[in-house]
Amino acid sequence: MPAVLGEALRAARLRAGLQQTEVAKLVSISRNAYSRLERGLMLPSVPTLFRLCTVVSTTPNELLGFPTALPPGMSATAKEALRRRVRLLDGRQSLALIHLLSAVR
């Protein structure tokens, strides 16, 4: 898992046009710690993983090597399940979801 994350993290960083030192600073870790992540020598904490995703514009699934697309036929099923769940939200929950989604790019 650390090697998969390291390769994906490096690729995402390069796509974002960032240097290791820039990512480390934005994520609030040392450059040495960041370098160890990219070299597959360690795994980040969950909060650090999410900060990394934000900085390099990727998802935890991509960094951890999980498929980003649903298997064929699952997309429609997943969308319908999500629609059913959203209909069950109360007003406060709906506003929280809208706020959360507006922050996602």
Side-chain angles (χ1 to χ4, degrees):
M1 180 66 67
V4 170
L5 181 128
E7 289 177 27
L9 185 55
R10 181 175 188 279
R13 175 181 60 81
L14 293 174
R15 275 196 318 267
L18 297 169
Q19 299 293 318
Q20 284 187 352
T21 52
E22 294 172 303
V23 175
K25 184 176 180 179
L26 291 167
V27 176
S28 301
I29 61 175
S30 71
R31 194 210 56 79
N32 186 31
Y34 181 80
S35 176
R36 291 179 52 132
L37 289 170
E38 272 198 14
R39 289 182 288 142
L41 300 176
M42 66 183 249
L43 288 170
S45 66
V46 172
T48 300
L49 175 66
F50 282 101
R51 288 193 307 269
L52 286 166
C53 289
T54 301
V55 168
V56 298
S57 300
T58 192
T59 65
N61 278 355
E62 181 182 343
L63 289 185
L64 296 174
F66 296 110
T68 56
L70 293 172
M74 287 298 294
S75 181
T77 304
K79 285 180 184 178
E80 186 51 39
L82 181 58
R83 280 189 197 103
R84 284 194 303 270
R85 297 287 304 257
V86 168
R87 285 188 208 115
L88 297 175
L89 298 177
D90 64 29
R92 184 181 55 78
Q93 293 168 325
S94 296
L95 287 174
L97 179 61
I98 290 167
H99 178 73
L100 174 68
L101 292 175
S102 67
V104 176
R105 294 182 183 207

